[in-house]
Amino acid sequence: MTYWLNLFTVETWWEFKDAGGTLSGFSGRRWNTAQRLQPGDRLRPITGTGTG
């Protein structure tokens, strides 16, 4: 099992959750990374306040 990180801002995380979010996507430039996901892998959201 591999753990993957999915980056949200605090605001977008709550928007995702409030909308009933259960499925997260990848941008086209992350296609090669997305192809490495396997059944049983875990996607963990992380939030931050940004830099600066």
Side-chain angles (χ1 to χ4, degrees):
M1 177 182 347
T2 302
Y3 288 88
W4 299 85
L5 299 178
N6 195 3
L7 182 62
F8 288 87
T9 66
V10 172
E11 179 180 301
T12 58
W13 170 249
W14 287 113
E15 289 174 359
F16 176 76
K17 294 298 288 179
D18 289 345
T22 59
L23 178 67
S24 182
F26 290 86
S27 67
R29 58 182 240 195
R30 295 287 182 214
W31 178 249
N32 288 334
T33 299
Q35 292 299 301
R36 296 187 352 233
L37 290 166
Q38 297 293 318
D41 285 356
R42 302 285 185 228
L43 187 61
R44 298 290 184 213
I46 58 172
T47 59
T49 58
T51 59

